[in-house]
Amino acid sequence: MDNTNPEILARAGLTHIIEPNDQTGAALVQIAGAIDAYRLIHDHAGPAPASEQQQVAELLDAHGASRSALRLDAGLERWRPRAALADPEADLKLMTHLGGGLIAPHDPHWPTGFEALGLAAPLALWYRGEGDLAILHDTSRLVAIVGSRDATEYGRTITAELVHGLREHGICIVSGGAYGIDAQAHQAALAEDAPTNQAPGQPATPPTIAVMAGGLNRFYPVGNEDLLKAVHRQGLLIAEVAPGATPSRWRFLQRNRMIAALCAATIVPEARWRSGALSTAHHAAEMGREVGAVPGSVFSANSAGCHRLIREGAATLVTDAAEAIELLNLPMQSPAPAEAVPATRDAGTTEAEDRRDYDGLPVQDLLLLDALPVRIPRTPDQLAIVAGLGMGSILGGLSRLSARSLAQRTGNGWIRRFPNGREPQRGAPQPD
């Protein structure tokens, strides 16, 4: 990778400034090119040329997204507070030191699966690890396995069995590096021997890829640090946000679309009714990719999301590795019947525990909510930089969040509030 290439430098800077799935930013890059788009945001203070504003508006309208909040001038207001903090040269130097770098859409390793995302495709892809980057370009050899973070023994067992069968066929396992099913999928893939049916001349298939919601300068969550280091040694970690970016709720949600787009199929071994894994599965189904879900006990809240996918027709019922292989149309001999794994009853959660305080919030308020600190107040100016929003959106959002008891003014700054005192503990797993 040439860290002095203007295109690489521009896209590195844009990943620091523009949030994932910001379609206004994607439209600007498509119209003006990455280099001129970065210059317009970073080097200029005035409005964009009228011709570019019109072209961006027309492109957004063609994709059904020409709302007022997506206008180019509103985008510039969001991005410019962050632009002064962008240092693409330093980011690229850091990632090179960590054994990684940046892939742009013109790179031969750029994932072909991202074409299904249209304007929602990443502007660039950061990576680190020892695995062969060529695997990213071959959607047919990538399968996502995602699910609940509070996995049961049943979920972990079936995940390991699915991974074993898929790895035997040279499939690379993709997941999100989180606790529970994600971690089990990565661990099981790392534990498997390299496939014996590798085609002559074909590069070795990395066992697993972790798609991260934050910057790759650190391993997150901390509880999975050793696991993610092992992924780094044998596979790949990738992200669409620059080093130093925090893994906020919005970025976790947007990460799901990347997992779905990368892979030929997505399999959900275990998921709750509102698990983030269902978001990944629905993204995959909307792109025409195969989706599989493993059934569980009707008494287990951890399988309710899988049953929901199957009932809605969004997923094919999968009970073993052979059926997972069928999703990919790969040949597989019928294995001996596996010993049944008894499902354990799970009392589940109450309706109140299952509710999310952020239900119904618009995207800009979600970004603001993620930017609010828990203890040390931030001023509106600081929040504008962290959230990547204009001051009007910040002030309006603070008013709305305050009305829902989700934000509180403290002196000259603002902090996050948690209704009913449900403040998360430090180091606690991130929500599904």
Side-chain angles (χ1 to χ4, degrees), residues 208-224:
T208 189
I209 297 171
V211 185
M212 311 306 291
L216 299 183
N217 56 306
R218 64 175 180 140
F219 297 109
Y220 182 89
V222 175
N224 281 349

Side-chain angles (χ1 to χ4, degrees), residues 25 57 64 101 108 169 178 244 248 266 289 388 416:
H169 282 71
S248 64
T266 294
R289 309 290 166 80
R416 172 81 187 270

Side-chain angles (χ1 to χ4, degrees), residues 168-189:
E168 281 188 332
H169 282 71
I171 297 299
C172 176
I173 305 302
V174 178
S175 199
Y179 297 120
I181 296 298
D182 286 24
Q184 180 65 21
H186 292 306
Q187 289 170 345

Side-chain angles (χ1 to χ4, degrees), residues 144-177:
I145 296 184
V146 294
S148 288
R149 287 167 171 79
D150 58 338
T152 66
E153 186 62 29
Y154 169 78
R156 289 189 290 269
T157 300
I158 190 62
T159 296
E161 291 184 359
L162 292 171
V163 170
H164 173 74
L166 290 166
R167 285 297 295 150
E168 281 188 332
H169 282 71
I171 297 299
C172 176
I173 305 302
V174 178
S175 199

Side-chain angles (χ1 to χ4, degrees), residues 232-307:
H232 178 271
R233 289 191 297 269
Q234 300 182 51
L236 291 167
L237 296 97
I238 61 175
E240 64 179 317
V241 292
T246 57
S248 64
R249 182 182 298 110
W250 172 255
R251 291 167 183 162
F252 273 113
L253 291 171
Q254 296 311 311
R255 183 268 311 271
N256 294 340
R257 85 193 193 288
M258 285 178 57
I259 294 176
L262 273 171
C263 300
T266 294
I267 301 175
V268 186
E270 189 175 52
R272 287 179 174 267
W273 183 261
R274 302 183 58 165
S275 171
L278 271 63
S279 167
T280 308
H282 284 129
H283 280 301
E286 289 169 0
M287 294 177 214
R289 309 290 166 80
E290 297 292 339
V291 179
V294 178
S297 169
V298 295
F299 298 110
S300 174
N302 283 67
S303 289
C306 293
H307 298 158

Side-chain angles (χ1 to χ4, degrees), residues 44-60:
H44 298 278
S51 60
E52 286 189 353
Q53 293 191 45
Q54 180 64 28
Q55 290 178 72
V56 167
E58 290 175 353
L59 182 56
L60 289 170

